[in-house]
Amino acid sequence: MTAGITEPEEYATGPAERRREQRGWYFYDFACSVYSTSVVTVFLGPYLTSVARAAADAEGFVHPLGIPVRAGSLFAYSVSASIVVAVLVMPLVGAVADRTGRKKPLLAAAAYLGATATAGMFFLAGERYLLGAFLLIVANASLSVSMVLYNAYLPQIAEPDERDSVSSRGWAFGYTSGALVLVLNLILYSGHDSFGLTEGEAVRICLASAGVWWGAFTLVPLRRLRDRRMPPKGREGMGEGAVGSGWRQLRETLKDMRRHPLTLSFLLAYLVYNDGVQTVISQASLYGSEELGLDQTTLITAVLLVQVLAVAGALGMGRLARTYGAKRTILCSLAVWTLILSAAYFLPADAPVFFFTLAAAIGLVLGGSQALSRSLFSHLVPRGKEAEYFSAYEVSDRGLSWLGPLVFGLAYQLTGSYRDAIISLVIFFVVGFALLARVPVRRAVEAAGNAVPDRI
């Protein structure tokens, strides 16, 4: 800790209490990451596309709300729509959480709404592409809102020098659960005949089980995490209602963020490069099935490989950050991401070995780049504004990640080629690298009034 800077009462806890909350905190990643892995990354993209194609006209278009949409673009557009919804909700929820100090009830509401929508995907059959798009929008937006509240706990449960390792362990827990459930999915999907199921029924069970898992393991953080007592200034104006206070506080947050231009500079860089990361995660399975001609079993195996290596990658990059600093480690990961996408453009079709090699490379940088970005940002947040600032972070993480899927979907709609769509994402990593390289993170931490770790 930097001399002269002490933790306020609402942060201060003993080591044993911090460890207890940290262990509970890890389990929300363990709960919700299965949705990101099994639903968004593996099953829903190809399955929703097949449902949309079953409902498409002779030219391959569906017409939600009378708008002609190529069936192959529906999933990407639905992801974009979910993020627009999240943009409208996340800042309000973040402001209300900091205003009231009650993050946990809001986390529970968002988590269980998302889990319920995911479990409802069991009923996505036949030509119900509108139902699938609606459930995806609800679940994705709910996940984004819950992550605002989850991430806002990090600066409250970990000392500055602990945050890289705590954040990395959270991602590692998430990738561990994703790998475990994917193994079960692979057994069910590959042996669906022996279980007396059709292929579609097996997929729908895999989708719904992610919602059940999400809801069940959310109980652990809800038992372990605690709400912090708000200082008197945080309760001012509460008599007018939490929603009204939330909007007023949001306006104040936007004004306050202009007083921290270096924090905003990091958010801009993160907005750009993470847009690329999120789009690769959500569209990789679609690229593999539609452009490379890989079957579902191959895709599940590849994503399982990503999950296993992402655990090692998140922990390994956390260790690298202790030696070289989080900023340098993230910059190296962005260079690797650029190489990965360039290689993906040239991958031959019907060649699982090459796809597995690329999946291994993604696994090694995926968890670490996200975990270190989260922990680095936690140092740039003024005390008492965690949920508000992390709502802005989550807007960058998921809230403004509508642009990548939109670009991906438009590229396919205009060219009919997923290769053109995937190579378009390189620009997000190149520009993000350039923007992050310009951020003086030590000065940014000091400007936020926080202790500067030895390595950052």
Side-chain angles (χ1 to χ4, degrees), residues 304-330:
L304 179 59
L305 179 62
V306 169
Q307 299 299 302
V308 171
L309 291 179
V311 175
L315 297 176
M317 288 181 64
R319 292 190 181 95
L320 287 174
R322 288 201 294 271
T323 302
Y324 301 104
K327 177 183 172 180
R328 290 181 181 177
T329 307
I330 295 170

Side-chain angles (χ1 to χ4, degrees), residues 40 192 310:
V40 177
H192 61 81

Side-chain angles (χ1 to χ4, degrees), residues 285-351:
S285 185
L286 193 61
Y287 181 72
S289 63
E290 299 297 322
E291 186 66 38
L292 303 182
L294 302 175
D295 60 35
Q296 193 71 53
T297 299
T298 299
L299 295 175
I300 296 173
T301 305
V303 175
L304 179 59
L305 179 62
V306 169
Q307 299 299 302
V308 171
L309 291 179
V311 175
L315 297 176
M317 288 181 64
R319 292 190 181 95
L320 287 174
R322 288 201 294 271
T323 302
Y324 301 104
K327 177 183 172 180
R328 290 181 181 177
T329 307
I330 295 170
L331 288 173
C332 289
S333 76
L334 298 182
V336 175
W337 274 109
T338 302
L339 294 174
I340 287 171
L341 285 181
S342 300
Y345 179 80
F346 295 103
L347 277 185
D350 299 315

Side-chain angles (χ1 to χ4, degrees), residues 128-388:
R128 296 176 182 171
Y129 73 93
L130 284 175
L131 174 63
F134 172 75
L135 293 175
L136 170 59
I137 290 169
V138 173
N140 238 28
S142 298
L143 177 65
S144 297
V145 171
S146 72
M147 292 303 292
V148 168
L149 303 156
Y150 169 68
N151 288 334
Y153 274 103
L154 179 58
Q156 294 182 332
I157 65 173
E159 298 286 346
D161 288 330
E162 296 177 313
R163 291 180 198 166
D164 285 345
S165 59
V166 170
S167 183
S168 295
R169 287 191 198 107
W171 282 105
F173 263 61
Y175 287 117
T176 299
S177 72
L180 174 61
V181 173
L182 270 183
V183 170
L184 300 177
N185 290 161
L186 182 59
I187 293 171
L188 178 64
Y189 179 82
S190 300
H192 61 81
D193 286 334
S194 62
F195 291 107
L197 300 171
T198 66
E199 181 179 353
E201 288 171 341
V203 170
R204 290 189 286 118
I205 290 172
C206 291
L207 292 171
S209 66
V212 174
W213 182 283
W214 185 358
F217 284 99
T218 295
L219 293 173
V220 179
L222 292 180
R223 288 181 62 86
R224 292 289 184 93
L225 295 172
R226 65 184 180 88
D227 286 329
R228 264 61 180 176
R229 179 181 61 81
M230 294 299 296
K233 66 178 181 180
R235 294 193 296 266
E236 292 174 2
M238 286 305 295
E240 300 181 23
V243 173
S245 299
W247 282 114
R248 285 197 313 279
Q249 186 61 52
L250 175 57
R251 289 195 296 270
E252 293 302 315
T253 299
L254 295 176
K255 293 178 183 177
D256 186 71
M257 291 186 76
R258 291 200 296 268
R259 298 194 296 109
H260 297 89
L262 297 180
T263 300
L264 285 175
S265 296
F266 173 81
L267 270 179
L268 177 61
Y270 181 70
L271 180 156
V272 174
Y273 70 73
N274 191 65
D275 205 343
V277 172
Q278 294 298 322
T279 308
V280 172
I281 292 171
S282 66
Q283 306 302 320
S285 185
L286 193 61
Y287 181 72
S289 63
E290 299 297 322
E291 186 66 38
L292 303 182
L294 302 175
D295 60 35
Q296 193 71 53
T297 299
T298 299
L299 295 175
I300 296 173
T301 305
V303 175
L304 179 59
L305 179 62
V306 169
Q307 299 299 302
V308 171
L309 291 179
V311 175
L315 297 176
M317 288 181 64
R319 292 190 181 95
L320 287 174
R322 288 201 294 271
T323 302
Y324 301 104
K327 177 183 172 180
R328 290 181 181 177
T329 307
I330 295 170
L331 288 173
C332 289
S333 76
L334 298 182
V336 175
W337 274 109
T338 302
L339 294 174
I340 287 171
L341 285 181
S342 300
Y345 179 80
F346 295 103
L347 277 185
D350 299 315
V353 173
F354 291 105
F355 192 71
F356 290 149
T357 302
L358 209 62
I362 289 174
L364 290 174
V365 294
L366 176 60
S369 59
Q370 293 178 314
L372 293 179
S373 296
R374 178 171 64 187
S375 61
L376 180 55
F377 182 71
S378 73
H379 294 287
L380 311 182
V381 178
R383 292 188 181 98
K385 300 179 182 291
E386 292 81 14
E388 296 168 42

Side-chain angles (χ1 to χ4, degrees), residues 63-119:
H63 300 269
L65 304 177
I67 302 170
V69 173
R70 192 186 290 269
S73 295
L74 179 70
F75 176 69
Y77 289 158
S78 298
V79 172
S80 290
S82 73
I83 293 165
V84 172
V85 172
V87 166
L88 300 176
V89 179
M90 288 190 297
L92 173 61
V93 171
V96 171
D98 280 335
R99 194 72 170 178
T100 63
R102 292 178 60 78
K103 297 182 182 69
K104 194 156 64 170
L106 295 169
L107 174 62
Y112 283 107
L113 178 60
T116 301
T118 306

